[in-house]
Amino acid sequence: MAERQERTAPDAVLTRIGQVVMLHHAGDREEARRRLLDLWAELGEHGEPLHRCTLAHYLADTQDDPADELAWDLRALSAADEAEGAEGLRGFYPSLHLNLAADYVKLGRTGAARTHLRRARGAAAALGDDGYGDGVRAAISRLELRLGEDDTPDGDSWGPPRQRPN
């Protein structure tokens, strides 16, 4: 019974990250970045990989400089790789690679963008048939069109998303 409670207990670090992300989505990017950096300092470079992955992923979104955004997205991917096999982490890879592809587009590094875009598409099988999965697949398709790289059979085999994530 205690083991079951441990598995279902809320993760305090992820809850804290989520609260700061809500602040960012409400429009306070600077304060969100400051709080996320404080959390990063608290966790340290050797904190739990899932926490570092999630935190770096959201820190990337608060950056003004595309090179800084890329650096945080690379940290997120590295932490995900460290946590390989963690429950539910496979579903992060499409988004992580999509974000890296978008970063490389911003930096004018089209070859690297295409590489990560293909990795995002390859990892998309791990996505659920839900709003999040549909949104990520749609974003992959949009970036493929933008880069002229539609390598799905018969065009976009994913179809339009049924609902957009909030």
Side-chain angles (χ1 to χ4, degrees), residues 94-95 98-99 102 117 120-121 132-146 156 159 161 164:
S95 179
L98 175 62
N99 289 344
L117 188 55
R121 176 62 76 189
Y132 172 77
D134 289 343
V136 172
R137 284 187 289 269
I140 291 169
S141 294
R142 285 191 302 271
L143 191 53
E144 285 173 338
L145 288 172
R146 181 174 172 191
D156 183 7
R164 297 241 179 230

Side-chain angles (χ1 to χ4, degrees), residues 6 14 34 36 70 74 86-87 95 134 137 152 154 157:
E6 265 182 40
L14 292 179
R34 186 189 66 72
L36 290 171
L70 172 64
L74 287 169
E87 186 177 326
S95 179
D134 289 343
R137 284 187 289 269
T152 58
D154 300 322
S157 63

